Amino acid sequence: MSDVHINIVSKFYPAIERAGQHLAISDLKLTLKSNEFICLLGPSGCGKTTLLNIVAGLDNDYEGEIFAGLKSVLPKIGYIFQNPRLLPWRTVRENIDLVLGAQSSTAVVDSLLEVMQLTHFQHVYPERLSLGMSRRVAIIRAFAVDPDILLMDEPFVSLDAPTARQVRELLLTLWSERPHTVLFVTHDLREAIVLADRLIFLSAAPMSFISEIKVPIARAERHNESAIEAFRWQLLNDYPLIKTLL
Ligand code: ADP
Ligand code: MG
């Protein structure tokens, strides 16, 4: 897979009533390395969802460019929203097959269901799933299309802590078996440290890059809560500014 280049010179939202137009993003440049897991952190309302929608190609009203590898190639996207957006009249398996269309491979879907521990629920309708299971289906659906970049917009916020931990662990298992480039938005510094190779801190509106930090904890140690907590304290201590961003 290729690196993904994001260069947003400016993103304005139109004026509402007498307020002038709103500059949401200004001069934001990011390069996502192939198969890198990046967590974006920034204050509520700073423009993170706006950025993901631009990268996803859902919003073309901006100045700048997004491309994977060669300049002319738009990245193929998998998008996991806060709400899993499953079609209620389709089973789990049908919800996954739908995004694959003609490319649907029974073996690939079988193995994704197995890793996410949903094999026994594949013929169930979404209303019978718990919140955590619905998130797991949304993750499978996004991985199934084998995207250049997986976008995840605070996907675990509505889950209780033990369920969020379980889904995070399953996500990491899947990601280590099938590495992909991930852009994951979260408010939760601890979650970001568990998941990311690199943390990117973003400013309040107009959103722009502040700084980035590589997470030095080995993947095998990411379940070690005291290592995660120690690094979180170190970050908050070394960079007090972070407290104002979360
Ligand atoms: P975040 O995801 O970081 O919380 P958003 O990207 O949702 O932030 O929003 C960034 C800013 O852009 C906010 O001030 C928000 O009010 C504004 N905004 C978002 N969507 C629209 C829209 N469709 N029209 C006008 N302003 C918007
Ligand atoms: Mg948002």
Side-chain angles (χ1 to χ4, degrees):
M1 272 185 220
S2 323
D3 291 357
V4 176
H5 301 273
I6 298 171
N7 177 14
I8 299 175
V9 178
S10 62
K11 161 66 192 172
F12 285 95
Y13 280 115
I16 300 170
E17 301 199 339
R18 255 172 254 170
Q21 56 176 359
H22 173 67
L23 177 58
I25 304 179
S26 170
D27 194 22
L28 180 69
K29 286 197 193 75
L30 303 174
T31 296
L32 318 180
K33 294 197 197 74
S34 177
N35 299 337
E36 189 179 20
F37 201 127
I38 290 178
C39 282
L40 297 177
L41 295 120
S44 183
C46 77
K48 302 177 297 294
T49 298
T50 302
L51 170 65
L52 262 48
N53 287 340
I54 290 174
V55 175
L58 300 174
D59 179 352
N60 292 308
D61 183 16
Y62 70 101
E63 195 191 329
E65 56 186 355
I66 314 281
F67 58 91
L70 299 173
K71 274 220 162 193
S72 55
V73 183
L74 283 175
K76 186 156 82 160
I77 300 296
Y79 203 156
I80 301 174
F81 304 92
Q82 234 172 68
N83 172 333
R85 302 191 182 186
L86 304 178
L87 297 177
W89 59 89
R90 303 235 182 205
T91 65
V92 165
R93 180 132 199 153
E94 288 166 352
N95 265 281
I96 298 164
D97 283 341
L98 198 64
V99 296
L100 292 170
Q103 319 157 21
S104 182
S105 150
T106 309
V108 170
V109 177
D110 283 347
S111 90
L112 288 166
L113 285 163
E114 195 181 327
V115 177
M116 293 309 268
Q117 299 176 3
L118 283 169
T119 304
H120 298 301
F121 291 87
Q122 60 181 306
H123 301 304
V124 154
Y125 286 89
E127 65 177 9
R128 285 200 39 216
L129 302 176
S130 67
L131 282 181
M133 286 168 157
S134 310
R135 295 311 182 284
R136 278 145 57 191
V137 179
I139 291 170
I140 292 178
R141 205 172 43 176
F143 269 87
V145 299
D146 192 20
D148 292 311
I149 174 165
L150 258 163
L151 305 171
M152 304 183 77
D153 196 358
E154 307 196 53
F156 307 145
V157 279
S158 49
L159 302 179
D160 58 74
T163 307
R165 185 178 318 125
Q166 183 207 20
V167 183
R168 267 198 299 273
E169 278 169 11
L170 289 170
L171 167 65
L172 283 182
T173 306
L174 189 58
W175 177 76
S176 60
E177 285 185 12
R178 295 166 185 267
H180 277 79
T181 310
V182 181
L183 202 50
F184 187 108
V185 169
T186 177
H187 272 108
D188 181 343
L189 183 55
R190 191 189 319 264
E191 172 171 71
I193 295 169
V194 171
L195 293 173
D197 294 314
R198 181 157 58 116
L199 312 176
I200 293 183
F201 293 94
L202 300 163
S203 70
M207 189 171 87
S208 192
F209 176 88
I210 298 183
S211 68
E212 61 181 8
I213 292 166
K214 287 210 161 122
V215 179
I217 304 168
R219 286 281 162 199
E221 285 296 308
R222 298 294 176 107
H223 63 275
N224 177 343
E225 291 193 14
S226 51
I228 301 293
E229 194 53 19
F231 184 61
R232 191 175 80 88
W233 273 104
Q234 185 194 327
L235 280 182
L236 292 171
N237 226 7
D238 293 352
Y239 307 97
L241 180 70
I242 291 174
K243 284 183 210 138
T244 66
L245 298 175
L246 302 174

